[in-house]
Amino acid sequence: MNNQPLVVCVLGKAGAGKGTQVSLIRERLSLEYLGSGEMLRERKKQGDFTGKRIADCIDNGGLVLTPVIFSLWMKELERIKNLEDVKGILFDGSPRKILEAKLLDEALLWYNWQDNFKVILIDISDEEAFARIDKRAKIEGREDDEVEALKKRLGWFKEEVTPVLDYYEKQGKLVKINGEQQVEEVYNEIIQKLEL
């Protein structure tokens, strides 16, 4: 039953070029977009308790708790399920914890989207991440690009995201991409490995 929408998660360390690749894939495949980072940055603008807690987490390189992320996802997934002719869904930078991965599996089962699911890892070294983020911080000045925040983010990537990658690799759903190539080469490798 592969007329199910394609569901793709794009993961990678800070600076891996997820945003660029997500834009290219989204444009080519006309996929619905779920960006946890973007959703959280938007949510933190609401000056309520949760908005302030999210701001504190993001600005200090921490992880927002899974129930908060998942509540944002579920609203979007429900909206997407009610659209006509959905080609697929693109998760930008999630899931980032084993609990998120397992909850996402359950959500995909709930919406009957589980059969056409892949997780892309855009793989770069810590050294490459530091070099790219340093460059980006000078250009964009994002608060979460400060050196200490970046060290924390790379630390939790190793601690939290690596088990997620192992989890999906065991299921045969992980697609590893060399992220230290030119943008076009990374994109071509993704399209080739997704067999699109």
Side-chain angles (χ1 to χ4, degrees):
M1 190 177 158
N2 241 14
N3 56 349
Q4 284 194 5
L6 172 67
V7 181
V8 180
C9 298
V10 181
L11 298 174
K13 293 173 185 165
K18 290 186 302 297
T20 302
Q21 294 303 326
V22 160
S23 296
L24 292 169
I25 298 165
R26 221 175 131 189
E27 194 175 308
R28 174 171 174 152
L29 303 176
S30 305
L31 302 179
E32 296 296 321
Y33 175 75
L34 262 106
S36 296
E38 197 174 285
M39 288 161 78
L40 288 168
R41 281 192 283 276
E42 196 55 40
R43 180 64 182 83
K44 83 172 186 175
K45 290 177 186 172
Q46 295 177 33
D48 59 5
F49 176 81
T50 296
K52 287 173 186 166
R53 286 296 301 269
I54 290 170
D56 188 50
C57 278
I58 291 175
D59 297 346
N60 291 297
L63 276 183
V64 174
L65 292 179
T66 298
V68 177
I69 299 260
F70 202 67
S71 68
L72 296 174
W73 285 359
M74 289 306 285
K75 274 185 196 164
E76 278 302 290
L77 291 173
E78 185 65 26
R79 180 189 67 76
I80 292 165
K81 188 66 179 178
N82 289 303
L83 297 173
E84 287 185 26
D85 193 33
V86 172
K87 291 184 173 56
I89 303 163
L90 192 54
F91 281 86
D92 179 359
S94 295
R96 302 176 304 169
K97 294 179 175 182
I98 278 291
L99 179 56
E100 285 182 15
K102 290 183 175 177
L103 286 171
L104 178 57
D105 283 352
E106 290 194 6
L108 294 179
L109 271 171
W110 178 258
Y111 290 111
N112 197 26
W113 287 331
Q114 71 279 3
D115 290 344
N116 204 1
F117 175 59
K118 291 285 178 198
V119 177
I120 295 169
L121 169 65
I122 302 175
D123 202 16
I124 63 170
S125 66
D126 284 4
E127 293 73 24
E128 183 71 11
F130 270 106
R132 291 183 182 187
I133 291 299
D134 185 51
K135 190 175 174 183
R136 185 170 81 183
K138 288 180 175 122
I139 298 165
E140 295 178 23
R142 265 174 47 177
E143 295 123 330
D144 53 341
D145 281 344
E146 297 300 324
V147 172
E148 285 311 308
L150 178 58
K151 280 183 186 168
K152 275 189 196 170
R153 286 163 75 198
L154 290 174
W156 65 244
F157 187 91
K158 196 166 284 180
E159 197 176 306
E160 300 282 2
V161 183
T162 302
V164 171
L165 300 172
D166 295 342
Y167 172 76
Y168 285 126
E169 190 161 34
K170 283 177 189 144
Q171 295 178 35
K173 293 177 180 169
L174 186 67
V175 178
K176 288 185 186 171
I177 304 294
N178 174 7
E180 297 190 13
Q181 312 173 80
Q182 294 299 315
V183 170
E184 298 77 17
E185 292 168 331
V186 173
Y187 172 70
N188 289 334
E189 190 180 337
I190 291 170
I191 295 302
Q192 189 183 356
K193 287 188 173 172
L194 283 178
E195 299 173 346
L196 298 169

